[in-house]
Amino acid sequence: MTWNTNIQEAPRGKTVQITRKKRVETKEAVDTTFRTTYEHQKEDVILATKCGKVIKTYWIPGEERWAGLANGEQPDAWMAWPKHPNFIPAGETGMVLGTERERPLSIGLHTDGDPESRFDSASLHQHSIIDDCGSGA
């Protein structure tokens, strides 16, 4: 990851269409309605400010500014917020851990709906390290 000084290239999220289904039951009938709205889906970035701070932030479209910065304040540089190395967006294909196979994923799961089916459990146990993260146990 490298710093980019062209702030205009920084990702500012996107507007997505959301359709919600609502089911209303009465004694007479069951009615299903759909409501479509548009929502801003933020995208996290790392900004380097003029005062020497490095912060995780996102664009606020209604205010035309970065969260954590004042109106009109421009950062010196930006960097994309990293994605987890095992993150596979829904609908894409991905390598199955511990194998050389690639298969399609649906909503982040294998097509049979079992989230664990996309991992080879023998490989996971062989390479997993369980660490007590300070629980005091």
Side-chain angles (χ1 to χ4, degrees), residues 1-21:
M1 295 186 338
T2 59
W3 289 106
N4 185 337
T5 56
N6 186 347
I7 303 304
Q8 298 306 315
E9 292 179 359
R12 295 175 187 230
K14 60 185 173 183
T15 301
V16 294
Q17 181 177 331
I18 307 290
T19 302
R20 292 186 173 87
K21 180 178 174 180

Side-chain angles (χ1 to χ4, degrees), residues 40-113:
H40 179 74
Q41 193 174 57
K42 69 178 185 153
E43 186 169 346
D44 293 329
V45 295
I46 302 168
L47 295 182
T49 65
K50 295 186 186 309
C51 62
K53 293 181 182 173
V54 174
I55 61 170
K56 175 185 173 187
T57 186
Y58 57 91
W59 181 252
I60 304 172
E63 299 179 23
E64 296 290 313
R65 68 179 183 89
W66 297 100
L69 299 183
N71 271 343
E73 184 179 357
Q74 288 296 313
D76 284 336
W78 70 275
M79 182 184 307
W81 185 258
K83 304 282 188 252
H84 190 280
N86 294 334
F87 175 75
I88 302 170
E92 293 189 10
T93 60
M95 294 301 292
V96 180
L97 292 177
T99 71
E100 297 293 323
R101 298 187 328 243
E102 185 171 310
R103 60 177 144 183
L105 301 174
S106 174
I107 312 175
L109 307 173
H110 182 263
T111 53
D112 63 7

Side-chain angles (χ1 to χ4, degrees), residues 27-46:
K27 290 182 181 179
E28 296 81 32
V30 175
D31 188 29
T32 302
T33 60
F34 295 92
R35 181 174 168 229
T36 301
T37 59
Y38 293 90
E39 296 178 3
H40 179 74
Q41 193 174 57
K42 69 178 185 153
E43 186 169 346
D44 293 329
V45 295
I46 302 168

